[in-house]
Amino acid sequence: MPLFPKLLGLLLLLGQTMVVQGDDLVTIYQDALLNDRQFSAAQAEREAGLENVIQARAGLLPEVSLQAQNLWNRSQYQVEGGEIEHRRQNQTYSIQLVQPVFRWKSWILYQQGNQQTALAVTRFHGAQQALILRVATAYFEVLSTEEALDALRQQQIADAQLLASARKQFELGNVSIADVHEAQSSADRALAASIKAKSDVQLARHGLARIIGRQPGPLPGLRNGVSLEPPFPSDIDVWIEQAQQSGFEVQHQALLLEIARNEVRSRKADHLPTIDLVASQGMQQRPNVGTERSDSSSIGLRISVPLYGGGRTRSAVRQAQALHEQSEAQYEEAKRTAQLQVREAWLGVVSGMAQVQALETASVSAKSALEANQLGYRVGVRISIDVLQVQSRFTETVQQLSRARYDTLLAKLRLKATVGGLMESDLIELNRLLHLH
């Protein structure tokens, strides 16, 4: 019996360990695939878009219709000597097949259906990239706010120690009351900053929970000593060219342009005649008095030529041409936007790496300066305000370094997204840089 509580505690500890290990960047993304509502909407949009080609293809295939009716007829005849009444039941059955032979508009609509299906797939791939970015952004936001809170807690501990020392030294008459007030003020500011930092952590965690449908556990952060790699290829012009060709937004606008071009052709096709093959078979019981049944069948070509529609067709053509010009402008704007996004992401990576390197050096220097000032305060060559200022600069540098690292990683992901190359494998590679501290 005494072993049971120990075994239960071991199982609970093992379960908690499994939960902790399960909440890394990759598993968070996998949870998002199942629970993010924006991505679920994108999946439904793709499924709906896949039906476009099937519906458009129907315009090229035969149509078969069946008709049946049942009539009760009552006829009265006036004759010499009286009136004759005749009643009969009339049943009619017919089946008709219409096979399009020449419908140019239907063929254009079929091409549009293929393009609309491709558009739905492109949008879905764009939604996948957007999900990866949203997951990484929310994940790193949690890490950044938690590390900022940790830095403030360290400052609170240091301020509390300095405040206790200042009070003791004041009681001994070694420092003035101003030193106590300065230490108290710094401790109060650190407390206020910590309260806000705790709120930031909670908001960041709720933001991540909104994506994955649950509250995340402890999240692994960047390993100590991790060096950030520059983008490859190292030529920004290569990235710009690729973004203007394969970026999902550019692909999206290119497909819309093709759809608009076909829409102009479709409207013009309303001027053209259509030719259908029509075949029908019918049967009628008791069509008239004295006839029990009649059968009929027919097959032939039906030609329809539009002559005049009140000007609607010409107006529709002009409207489609205007929308085509709009799509051309939007396509060119998408290419320019892709170029700008590449430059922003590229500079985010390059300048971010330089900033991280500078802040890492500044962090080492700030820590050395802090230790020197703390030692100087203990031996009496520094006053409390000196230590407080250096402590505050060190905390700020640590926070800036943490934010710069995660911003640089996000910039690398955004750079890949601009060329349509952001995939789950990028998260797997990034996940190898993380470790649960």
Side-chain angles (χ1 to χ4, degrees):
M1 290 299 293
L3 291 178
F4 181 73
K6 294 182 179 180
L7 181 59
L8 180 60
L10 181 62
L11 291 175
L12 291 175
L13 179 61
L14 179 61
Q16 292 175 354
T17 303
M18 292 175 63
V19 171
V20 168
Q21 292 177 347
D23 280 341
D24 60 11
L25 184 56
V26 173
T27 53
I28 288 291
Y29 171 69
Q30 291 171 347
D31 285 346
L33 288 174
L34 299 175
N35 298 291
D36 181 64
R37 296 300 91 189
Q38 292 186 40
F39 186 68
S40 298
Q43 287 179 308
E45 183 182 9
R46 180 195 60 176
E47 294 301 318
L50 294 177
E51 302 297 328
N52 287 321
V53 64
I54 299 175
Q55 296 175 15
R57 187 175 57 209
L60 303 175
L61 300 179
E63 297 179 4
V64 181
S65 60
L66 175 66
Q67 294 181 347
Q69 67 177 8
N70 195 356
L71 300 177
W72 285 266
N73 297 314
R74 176 175 174 270
S75 304
Q76 292 181 334
Y77 303 93
Q78 299 291 333
V79 298
E80 292 183 4
E83 183 180 88
I84 298 176
E85 182 179 283
H86 182 74
R87 298 186 181 187
R88 73 178 186 278
Q89 183 180 8
N90 185 359
Q91 295 177 339
T92 304
Y93 305 93
S94 65
I95 184 170
Q96 183 182 65
L97 180 144
V98 178
Q99 170 61 57
V101 176
F102 178 78
R103 290 187 186 179
W104 187 241
K105 182 172 183 177
S106 296
W107 174 251
I108 297 173
L109 292 177
Y110 173 64
Q111 293 177 324
Q112 279 187 314
N114 281 290
Q115 293 162 351
Q116 288 168 346
T117 295
L119 182 64
V121 174
T122 300
R123 283 176 173 170
F124 176 71
H125 290 323
Q128 285 182 312
Q129 282 202 158
L131 179 63
I132 292 175
L133 285 175
R134 286 191 292 111
V135 166
T137 301
Y139 187 96
F140 290 151
E141 183 65 20
V142 173
L143 295 181
S144 180
T145 54
E146 287 181 343
E147 291 178 10
L149 178 59
D150 289 339
L152 287 170
R153 285 171 174 168
Q154 294 298 321
Q155 181 173 347
Q156 280 186 286
I157 294 173
D159 286 349
Q161 293 173 348
L162 186 61
L163 177 59
S165 176
R167 287 173 175 170
K168 183 176 180 181
Q169 292 296 323
F170 174 72
E171 292 174 356
L172 296 175
N174 296 330
V175 297
S176 67
I177 191 63
D179 291 319
V180 178
H181 291 330
E182 289 288 350
Q184 183 66 58
S185 176
S186 180
D188 293 339
R189 288 195 301 270
L191 175 60
S194 294
I195 294 173
K196 183 180 183 304
K198 289 179 183 178
S199 176
D200 292 339
V201 170
Q202 292 179 357
L203 289 175
R205 284 189 160 271
H206 284 305
L208 184 56
R210 175 174 173 264
I211 298 175
I212 64 176
R214 62 175 178 83
Q215 282 294 331
L219 301 179
L222 273 178
R223 295 177 181 272
N224 295 325
V226 168
S227 60
L228 304 181
E229 298 294 330
F232 180 82
S234 58
D235 187 357
I236 188 175
D237 291 331
V238 176
W239 289 90
I240 291 175
E241 182 180 359
Q242 189 174 355
Q244 292 182 332
Q245 293 177 355
S246 57
F248 283 131
E249 186 58 31
V250 175
Q251 292 184 40
H252 175 253
Q253 291 299 332
L255 285 169
L256 288 177
L257 178 59
E258 289 300 317
I259 292 172
R261 183 177 292 117
N262 275 328
E263 185 64 20
V264 175
R265 299 171 62 200
S266 172
R267 295 301 182 181
K268 289 181 177 180
D270 288 334
H271 290 291
L272 301 177
T274 60
I275 303 175
D276 299 325
L277 174 67
V278 181
S280 63
Q281 177 72 41
M283 186 273 290
Q284 189 174 8
Q285 290 184 343
R286 298 188 182 94
N288 48 54
V289 178
T291 303
E292 287 296 322
R293 171 173 170 168
S294 68
D295 296 286
S296 63
S297 60
S298 65
I299 185 170
L301 293 177
R302 182 175 63 193
I303 301 177
S304 177
V305 181
L307 297 178
Y308 180 69
R312 181 182 59 186
T313 302
R314 292 183 180 275
S315 175
V317 170
R318 292 193 299 269
Q319 183 184 51
Q321 289 172 337
L323 293 176
H324 176 254
E325 292 177 2
Q326 178 189 16
S327 295
E328 285 183 328
Q330 290 174 339
Y331 173 63
E332 291 301 323
E333 177 62 20
K335 293 172 66 175
R336 295 181 185 181
T337 301
Q339 179 181 1
L340 178 60
Q341 289 174 342
V342 168
R343 294 188 183 279
E344 288 177 346
W346 177 273
L347 291 175
V349 176
V350 175
S351 62
M353 293 180 62
Q355 186 181 19
V356 167
Q357 185 176 3
L359 287 171
E360 286 175 344
T361 303
S363 177
V364 174
S365 301
K367 185 175 183 181
S368 299
L370 175 61
E371 292 173 349
N373 276 270
Q374 288 175 337
L375 177 60
Y377 178 76
R378 287 195 294 269
V379 299
V381 296
R382 290 289 184 181
I383 60 176
S384 61
I385 187 62
D386 296 328
V387 180
L388 293 172
Q389 290 176 347
V390 175
Q391 176 69 51
S392 178
R393 285 197 296 268
F394 174 68
T395 300
E396 184 179 354
T397 302
V398 170
Q399 292 175 327
Q400 290 176 346
L401 176 59
S402 173
R403 174 63 69 177
R405 283 172 173 168
Y406 294 124
D407 286 347
T408 304
L409 291 175
L410 282 174
K412 291 185 69 174
L413 295 180
R414 292 192 183 99
L415 182 60
K416 287 193 173 183
T418 59
V419 299
L422 184 59
M423 298 180 292
E424 184 178 355
S425 58
D426 296 304
L427 288 185
I428 295 175
E429 181 180 353
L430 187 56
N431 197 52
R432 297 191 182 103
L433 305 179
L434 306 179
H435 175 70
L436 190 62
H437 299 289

